[in-house]
Amino acid sequence: ENGVIVAIDGPSGAGKSSLTKLLAKRLGYIHIDTGAMFRAVALSAKRAGIASDDDKGLAELCQGLEISFARDGETCRVLANGEDVSSEIRTEEIGLLTSTISARKPVRQALLEMQRRMGAKGGVILEGRDIGTVVFPDAEVKFFLSASAEERGRRRYLELAARGESATLEETIAKVIQRDRQDEGREHAPLKQAEDAVPIDSTSLSIEQVLELMERTVKERL
Ligand code: C5P
């Protein structure tokens, strides 16, 4: 028994990454941060000077790009053709560019296939925007994790501050809202709650509270 597939989707800053890692640890599952994969594509496109509406260029880029994860104790590094891009993909600039590039069909197609291969064996938690709706519509457990835009902006702001990136709270909230709009409004695989997803609003819950709720839900379905 390899275990099931757990999908965690939701807007940026809802706490998906932290929770996915913690839940994976508790269940002894592998976690896959699909946002990091889209970010790696965006960074590579930027470096190669490929415009975000150049579908042909993006398709070729994806074909030659191998994205992998290197698990190193508690942390997980993201590799693009063997290069560790973990920190470089985390800037605000790459976040917004990723939201634009991830709307392109060839990019979605390439990563869809990669993600299905990575998750096929089960015993895995994938976090993203379209895992429960498109990548693994038959996932045994799906969560849709959200929080108010103000709260998500506040969390993101604290994260940036901790890394020494300068930004104001208002700016950060505005960017979170802009990114959600783009992700929800796109034609291919928009951010949306799957009908059979368990919705969790984390606005006034602690990480521990959400984690407990998720763990209980998964165990009920095993
Ligand atoms: O989760 P994260 O903020 O790292 O994701 C960055 C961007 O990647 C999102 O804003 C979204 O545009 C895109 N993304 C996506 N589908 C996923 C995961 C991320 O389109 N499954």
Side-chain angles (χ1 to χ4, degrees):
E1 180 51 79
N2 271 326
V4 300
I5 294 177
V6 180
I8 304 185
D9 290 303
S12 45
K16 292 191 302 294
S17 291
S18 321
L19 281 155
T20 302
K21 273 184 214 136
L22 292 167
L23 186 63
K25 200 170 171 195
R26 287 220 183 160
L27 298 171
Y29 277 24
I30 282 175
H31 64 90
I32 296 173
D33 175 356
T34 65
M37 300 172 73
F38 285 96
R39 285 172 181 268
V41 173
L43 177 68
S44 306
K46 186 187 166 221
R47 286 182 180 172
I50 298 169
S52 49
D53 59 354
D54 175 3
D55 281 344
K56 192 163 168 282
L58 289 170
E60 281 167 15
L61 175 81
C62 288
Q63 258 176 19
L65 188 64
E66 202 212 329
I67 302 168
S68 54
F69 294 100
R71 279 155 231 283
D72 165 22
E74 292 292 285
T75 61
C76 184
R77 318 299 300 175
V78 187
L79 310 181
N81 286 340
E83 180 194 343
D84 185 346
V85 292
S86 314
S87 347
E88 233 184 305
I89 59 171
R90 293 294 161 200
T91 64
E92 279 296 273
E93 189 203 350
I94 292 297
L96 278 177
L97 181 65
T98 303
S99 176
T100 304
I101 275 183
S102 71
R104 309 306 298 191
K105 201 169 181 188
V107 175
R108 298 225 71 85
Q109 190 57 40
L111 292 203
L112 174 71
E113 286 162 16
M114 242 186 258
Q115 288 159 16
R116 284 193 177 152
R117 275 198 302 275
M118 289 175 158
K121 286 194 185 138
V124 64
I125 309 180
L126 294 103
E127 55 141 321
R129 303 292 188 287
D130 63 338
I131 308 302
T133 50
V134 175
V135 184
F136 285 108
D138 296 329
E140 283 83 353
V141 192
K142 300 177 186 179
F143 294 106
F144 193 84
L145 187 63
S146 62
S148 72
E150 288 69 29
E151 178 59 18
R152 292 184 293 112
R154 197 184 64 84
R155 292 176 189 166
R156 181 83 192 127
Y157 171 75
L158 293 175
E159 239 174 70
L160 290 173
R163 285 213 312 263
E165 274 196 54
S166 67
T168 69
L169 180 59
E170 287 78 48
E171 240 168 49
T172 312
I173 294 175
K175 280 187 187 150
V176 159
I177 293 174
Q178 185 192 342
R179 188 131 72 89
D180 295 345
R181 282 219 186 99
Q182 271 178 220
D183 291 345
E184 288 164 354
R186 71 187 174 211
E187 185 188 348
H188 309 293
L191 167 65
K192 155 171 127 220
Q193 186 180 321
E195 264 169 40
D196 52 350
V198 177
I200 301 177
D201 182 340
S202 74
T203 308
S204 50
L205 297 177
S206 68
I207 287 201
E208 188 55 36
Q209 286 172 313
V210 180
L211 184 61
E212 291 287 324
L213 179 59
M214 286 183 159
E215 193 183 6
R216 226 182 311 127
T217 308
V218 175
K219 290 195 166 153
E220 274 166 15
R221 301 197 187 182
L222 286 181

